[in-house]
């Protein structure tokens, strides 16, 4: 651990800007978005969850995959040489989401496009000491604690930050800088105090234990709730756009008027949209909005866990905030838990 | 040195295909064509029966297509049978001998051929399903001695819709293969069976204990065929089906092919009934 006095934060960020693109949440019309910081004064550490998660720097909404000449069949990958980037002030839920993305993009066939960005990206997270917004349910999802996989993690101790270094990449960001001090005994005590004091500020919002989610969802496959909620879903796909753990994409070719030079690109896609699973002949394996909604929730709370050992939802609450139909994971999961309960109790009293 | 086509996936981008040249084309039906493709020298496809490639026409797009040639006969070249249904397949049908396309793959798991050894085999193909099965059928027939009795049941819409007519004739001539075909609607001159594919099942009386079944066809066919096979006592783990899903990447990243927890492009497209029987989205 190191100590960074608060008055040195700006100096540190300015130093980083000499060698890195620094990205951090910025306020725009009362909302926060991750954007490049042009001036250390723009830095905000205390923010209401950003509209889009920082994943847009790792998996952009639109990305070129390769360029081609359709006449000569020459092709070349378009893996951008990206500038070294520091993403500042990540909430721990977003850090958990990136841990999941790393796992997915690195499993099986490695996605070199993602890796190229990820390699050049250093993550600086901050300890969340109070809930960032009403819809967040990070404590329930177990994402209020820092996962492995941060580079630098900051904890606000009042007039100073405790600086935890999680990787060599993180080490390099502070190497040789006299801005960082060695901690004294009182700093360690303060960290313990702050950490112990934060938990009561957060509520458990989920009415079952997070480890029970895969089972709850498995048991609820045929629940009538999917139809009830599905009827209100507008299939706008907004929830998947703002989700830090969604990564599905569509692939398109773009070509010039001479039908010669072109690019293959990928763009964010959404499993909530009707045509997502249509195959030739028009058969749709997820033919109703209820089934598509169910797929999204089972994917987050069950399938991803089965495939990667990590849940696909980190409890950030962005989808709940952005859904025009007011569909929220907490509302939905708690209703499933409530409807399962009487059945289970009845079953156990019978046996 | 030959390079396996899939090794190109470890090059700079998993999404970038390798060019291939069309060296032969045959029009099977009004909407189905067969293509023989050649890879650049030094490349080989090294696929397993049931695997597929992502086929590109640069500027148009990409679609998953099963490899329909036998692995043993596919050195440096391979075959596809394509139905014209949309953007990519329309464009492909307009290409002729000498044209270039591009491919990635092979992807997915094919049929677990080792588990077929020493067993009786029933192939059940509906329509275009004969294309993926053909790579398995030819593989089995190339090493006929390793298997017990072999039967092929094939259903097409009309007699004009039969694919691979030369192969069908050759298989029908063999003593060691039982071939049964049926059509939904007869046309002039057809004196064979008429009816859905399940009507052919009673014609093959194999002991349920030692029989494996490989099925490829349209989604509607699966439920009916499965009901009959299970009623006949075929083990759930001995029934292998190939699943069709929308596929954009082939490598487990785009999410389109997901069927419950399974990425069809990676853990499929071939799966046993035992693996999918509880997955509602697999069969309806
Ligand atoms: C593992 C696997 C193996 C396969 N093997 C073969 C094979 O061997 N041979 C073969 O011919 N096919 C095969 N297919 C199927 C083939 O991939 C599809 O037919 C593919 O969609 C063709 O691509 P396309 O661009 O020509 O069609 P698309 O342009 O993608 O159109 C396909 C279908 O999508 C729907 N569609 C397209 N655009 C729209 C729209 N705007 N609105 C609504 N619906 C639309 C239509 O139903 C249309 O029929 C396979 C599929 C899989 C998953
Ligand atoms: S599903 Fe909703 S709450 Fe969960 S991670 Fe995605 S956006 Fe956040
Ligand atoms: S944001 Fe809400 S309405 Fe839109 S697709 Fe998602 S759940 Fe449906
Ligand atoms: S085709 Fe993209 S995940 Fe399977």
């Amino acid at each position: 651990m190191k100590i960074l006095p608060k008055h040195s934060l700006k100096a540190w960020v300015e130093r980083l800007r000499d060698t890195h693109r620094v990205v951090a949440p910025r306020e725009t019309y009362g909302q926060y978005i991750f954007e490049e910081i042009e001036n250390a004064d723009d830095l905000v550490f205390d923010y209401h969850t950003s509209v889009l998660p920082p994943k847009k720097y790792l998996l952009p909404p639109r990305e070129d995959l390769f360029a081609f000449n359709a006449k000569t069949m020459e092709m070349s990958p378009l893996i951008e040489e990206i500038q070294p980037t520091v993403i500042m002030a990540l909430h721990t839920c977003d850090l958990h989401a990136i841990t999941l993305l790393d796992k997915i993009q690195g499993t099986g066939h490695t996605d070199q496009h993602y890796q190229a960005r990820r390699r050049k990206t250093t993550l600086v997270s901050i300890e969340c000491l109070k809930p960032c917004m009403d819809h967040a349910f990070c404590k329930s999802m177990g994402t209020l604690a820092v996962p492995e996989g941060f580079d630098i993690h900051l904890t606000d101790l009042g007039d100073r930050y405790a600086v935890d270094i999680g990787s060599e990449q993180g080490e390099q960001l502070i190497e040789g800088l006299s801005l960082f001090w060695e901690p004294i005994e009182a700093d360690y005590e303060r960290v313990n105090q702050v950490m112990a004091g934060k938990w009561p500020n957060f509520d458990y919002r989920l009415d079952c234990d997070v480890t029970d989610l895969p089972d709850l969802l498995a048991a609820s496959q045929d629940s009538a709730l999917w139809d009830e909620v599905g009827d209100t879903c507008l299939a706008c796909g907004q929830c998947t756009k703002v989700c830090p753990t969604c990564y599905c994409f569509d692939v398109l070719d773009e070509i010039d008027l001479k039908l010669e030079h072109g690019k293959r690109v990928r763009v964010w896609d959404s499993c909530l949209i009707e045509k997502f699973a249509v195959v030739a002949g028009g058969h749709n394996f997820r033919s109703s909005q209820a089934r598509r909604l169910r797929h999204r929730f089972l994917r987050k709370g069950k399938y991803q866990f089965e495939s990667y050992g990590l849940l696909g939802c980190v409890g950030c609450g962005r989808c709940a905030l952005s859904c025009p139909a007011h569909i929220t994971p907490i509302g939905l999961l708690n209703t499933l838990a409530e409807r399962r309960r009487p059945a289970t109790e009845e079953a156990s009293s019978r046996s | 040195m030959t390079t396996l086509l899939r090794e190109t996936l470890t090059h700079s981008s998993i999404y970038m295909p390798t060019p291939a040249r069309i060296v032969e084309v045959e029009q099977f039906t009004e909407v189905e064509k067969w293509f023989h493709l050649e890879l650049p020298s030094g490349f080989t496809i090294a696929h397993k029966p049931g695997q597929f490639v992502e086929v590109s026409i640069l500027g148009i797009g990409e679609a998953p297509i099963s490899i329909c040639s036998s692995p043993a006969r596919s050195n440096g070249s391979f075959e596809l049978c394509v139905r014209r249904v949309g953007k990519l397949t329309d464009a492909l049908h307009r290409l002729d001998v000498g044209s270039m396309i591009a491919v990635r793959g092979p992807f997915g798991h094919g049929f677990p051929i080792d588990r077929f050894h020493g067993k009786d085999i029933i192939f059940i193909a509906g329509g275009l399903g004969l294309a993926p099965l053909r790579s398995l059928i030819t593989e089995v027939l190339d090493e006929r001695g390793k298997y017990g009795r072999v039967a092929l049941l094939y259903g097409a819409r009309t007699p004009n819709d039969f694919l691979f007519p030369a192969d069908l004739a050759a298989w029908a001539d063999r003593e060691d293969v039982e071939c049964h075909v049926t059509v939904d609607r007869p046309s002039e001159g057809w004196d064979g069976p008429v009816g859905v594919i399940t009507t052919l099942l009673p014609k093959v009386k194999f002991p349920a204990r030692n029989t494996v079944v490989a099925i490829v066809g349209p989604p509607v066919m699966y439920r009916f065929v499965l009901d009959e096979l299970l009623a006949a006592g075929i083990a759930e783990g001995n029934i292998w089906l190939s699943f069709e899903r929308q596929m954009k990447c082939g490598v487990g990243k785009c999410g389109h092919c997901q069927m419950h927890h399974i990425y069809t492009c990676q853990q499929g497209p071939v799966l046993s009934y035992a693996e999918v029987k509880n997955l509602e989205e697999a069969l309806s």
Side-chain angles (χ1 to χ4, degrees):
Chain A
M1 190 176 98
K2 297 266 192 231
I3 292 296
L4 176 68
K6 274 196 177 165
H7 59 74
S8 298
L9 177 68
K10 281 182 191 151
W12 181 42
V13 171
E14 282 305 338
R15 290 291 287 270
L16 289 177
R17 281 180 21 84
D18 294 342
T19 47
H20 292 75
R21 169 173 68 155
V22 177
V23 164
R26 284 181 62 175
E27 195 189 328
T28 321
Y29 302 111
Q31 294 192 309
Y32 293 90
I33 54 171
F34 276 91
E35 233 179 29
E36 180 168 0
I37 292 285
E38 303 288 348
N39 181 331
D41 285 324
D42 294 339
L43 212 61
V44 204
F45 267 35
D46 185 9
Y47 67 102
H48 190 287
T49 301
S50 63
V51 180
L52 285 184
K55 91 171 169 194
K56 67 179 181 182
Y57 286 98
L58 299 170
L59 286 169
R62 193 206 112 102
E63 180 176 14
D64 296 339
L65 295 172
F66 62 92
F68 57 79
N69 181 316
K71 298 237 159 77
T72 63
M73 296 300 284
E74 282 166 288
M75 291 173 244
S76 52
L78 294 171
I79 296 183
E80 234 179 288
E81 194 40 54
I82 75 148
Q83 214 183 328
T85 299
V86 177
I87 306 183
M88 275 275 168
L90 290 148
H91 285 158
T92 50
C93 59
D94 284 339
L95 209 49
H96 278 270
I98 293 174
T99 304
L100 176 71
L101 293 180
D102 286 351
K103 192 142 193 182
I104 287 156
Q105 301 301 336
T107 297
H109 298 280
T110 304
D111 186 302
Q112 303 98 330
H113 302 260
Y114 177 88
Q115 305 290 357
R117 290 197 164 77
R118 187 62 182 90
R119 262 198 303 276
K120 294 278 187 72
T121 306
T122 312
L123 305 175
V124 178
S125 50
I126 50 165
E127 190 70 32
C128 301
L129 301 176
K130 58 178 178 21
C132 59
M133 67 157 170
D134 289 347
H135 286 294
F137 54 106
C138 45
K139 188 179 180 182
S140 300
M141 298 307 289
T143 56
L144 183 52
V146 200
E148 285 173 22
F150 65 89
D151 296 302
I152 288 192
H153 183 68
L154 305 175
T155 307
D156 189 338
L157 304 181
D159 63 343
R160 59 189 60 198
Y161 291 106
V163 182
D164 285 305
I165 298 140
S167 71
E168 216 165 282
Q169 221 172 335
E171 183 75 52
Q172 282 165 10
L173 292 193
I174 67 166
E175 207 166 34
L177 294 182
S178 55
L179 300 168
F180 293 84
W181 301 349
E182 289 305 320
I184 55 170
E185 195 53 37
D187 291 322
Y188 287 104
E189 280 166 26
R190 184 83 187 107
V191 169
N192 287 339
Q193 254 173 20
V194 164
M195 291 300 286
K198 81 168 219 176
W199 292 93
N201 295 334
F202 293 83
D203 288 330
Y204 285 108
R205 310 268 314 277
L206 192 61
D207 292 343
C208 69
D209 192 86
V210 63
T211 53
D212 197 31
L213 264 192
D215 282 347
L216 170 66
L217 286 162
S220 306
Q221 293 223 41
D222 300 324
S223 171
L225 189 67
W226 303 116
D227 289 313
E228 295 160 30
V229 181
D231 277 347
T232 68
C233 172
L234 306 169
C236 65
Q238 194 72 9
C239 48
T240 54
K241 283 209 175 68
V242 301
C243 180
T245 65
C246 277
Y247 51 85
C248 292
F249 60 84
D250 194 5
V251 177
L252 313 164
D253 278 11
E254 291 176 355
I255 191 159
D256 65 12
L257 290 173
K258 287 189 197 150
L259 302 182
E260 193 168 341
H261 297 282
K263 275 189 225 168
R264 183 159 294 169
V265 301
R266 65 171 163 195
V267 294
W268 287 354
D269 205 347
S270 170
C271 62
L272 270 305
I273 288 173
E274 187 175 359
K275 66 170 180 46
F276 191 84
V278 175
V279 297
H283 192 85
N284 192 344
F285 287 93
R286 264 178 247 119
S287 51
S288 66
Q289 205 52 30
R291 280 187 159 206
R292 291 187 278 275
L293 198 71
R294 181 183 70 174
H295 174 73
R296 173 169 162 246
F297 279 94
L298 268 80
R299 192 169 196 268
K300 300 278 169 207
K302 181 174 184 283
Y303 309 151
Q304 297 292 75
F305 182 72
E306 288 162 352
S307 305
Y308 301 104
L310 295 169
L311 286 166
C313 173
V314 296
C316 69
R318 285 184 177 95
C319 57
L321 186 69
S322 69
C323 176
H326 308 294
I327 296 169
T328 71
I330 278 299
L332 208 138
L333 296 171
N334 284 348
T335 309
L336 291 178
E338 189 187 317
R339 291 192 188 177
R340 181 171 62 157
R341 219 167 290 123
T344 343
E345 276 157 19
E346 199 183 315
S348 59
S349 67
R350 249 186 285 137
S351 63
Chain B
M1 257 293 284
T2 46
T3 308
L4 303 184
L5 187 56
R6 64 174 163 276
E7 284 171 7
T8 60
L9 291 171
T10 57
H11 291 178
S12 25
S13 170
I14 43 172
Y15 302 108
M16 206 173 75
T18 301
R21 182 182 301 278
I22 300 176
V23 290
E24 241 181 302
V25 180
E26 190 182 332
Q27 181 104 32
F28 283 157
T29 72
E30 222 166 83
V31 291
E32 280 133 342
K33 268 187 178 180
W34 168 88
F35 298 87
H36 186 185
L37 294 143
E38 203 172 73
L39 289 165
S41 73
F43 279 87
T44 184
I45 195 140
H47 71 289
K48 296 188 201 73
Q51 285 189 306
F52 65 94
V53 280
E54 281 283 349
V55 173
S56 280
I57 294 179
L58 302 178
I60 306 281
E62 206 175 38
I65 303 290
S66 304
I67 303 161
C68 66
S69 41
S70 156
R73 303 180 206 170
S74 287
N75 267 348
S77 82
F78 61 98
E79 300 162 28
L80 305 173
C81 173
V82 181
R83 176 179 292 172
R84 179 163 50 81
V85 295
K87 234 172 33 164
L88 187 276
T89 49
D90 276 347
L92 190 57
H93 270 242
R94 285 196 299 271
L95 298 181
D96 220 326
V97 170
S99 305
M100 301 292 288
I101 61 164
V103 288
R104 292 187 296 137
F107 292 125
H109 283 282
F111 290 93
I113 189 106
D114 295 352
R115 297 171 68 165
F116 288 26
H117 290 167
K119 297 209 158 82
D120 294 336
I121 305 175
I122 308 177
F123 299 108
I124 303 181
L128 189 56
L130 187 60
L133 267 186
R134 178 179 177 257
S135 72
L136 180 66
I137 297 169
T138 45
E139 167 91 355
V140 165
L141 297 185
D142 281 348
E143 305 218 33
R144 185 64 188 84
K146 290 187 179 169
Y147 309 92
R149 290 168 62 188
V150 172
L152 167 66
L153 313 184
Y154 176 38
R157 272 169 297 190
T158 74
N160 296 330
D161 290 314
F162 286 125
L163 304 174
F164 303 102
D167 290 308
L168 283 174
W171 296 333
D173 278 348
R174 289 177 68 135
E175 294 284 311
D176 56 358
V177 184
E178 298 168 37
C179 268
H180 301 282
V181 295
T182 181
V183 296
D184 294 343
R185 276 171 287 135
S187 56
E188 194 100 2
W190 175 257
D191 55 4
V194 176
V196 293
I197 194 141
T198 42
T199 57
L200 295 179
L201 273 169
K203 294 181 194 271
V204 285
K205 294 204 171 53
F206 286 11
R209 247 179 299 117
N210 199 38
T211 300
V212 283
V213 187
I215 315 170
V216 191
V220 288
M221 185 184 103
Y222 286 1
R223 192 73 266 170
F224 295 105
V225 171
L226 280 165
D227 286 347
E228 304 253 343
L229 294 174
L230 294 168
I234 309 277
E236 291 172 351
N238 276 342
I239 303 175
W240 296 90
L241 310 115
S242 181
F243 291 90
E244 179 174 344
R245 287 297 180 276
Q246 195 176 133
M247 292 184 181
K248 298 290 184 179
C249 73
V251 289
K253 306 286 187 257
C254 76
H256 279 267
C257 71
Q258 207 174 3
M259 156 169 116
H260 297 255
H261 60 285
I262 290 171
Y263 278 122
T264 313
C265 65
Q266 295 284 284
Q267 289 119 293
V270 175
L271 293 155
S272 75
Y273 179 65
E275 293 169 276
V276 301
K277 63 173 178 173
N278 294 323
L279 311 183
E280 172 203 340
E281 283 178 11
L283 292 163
S284 60

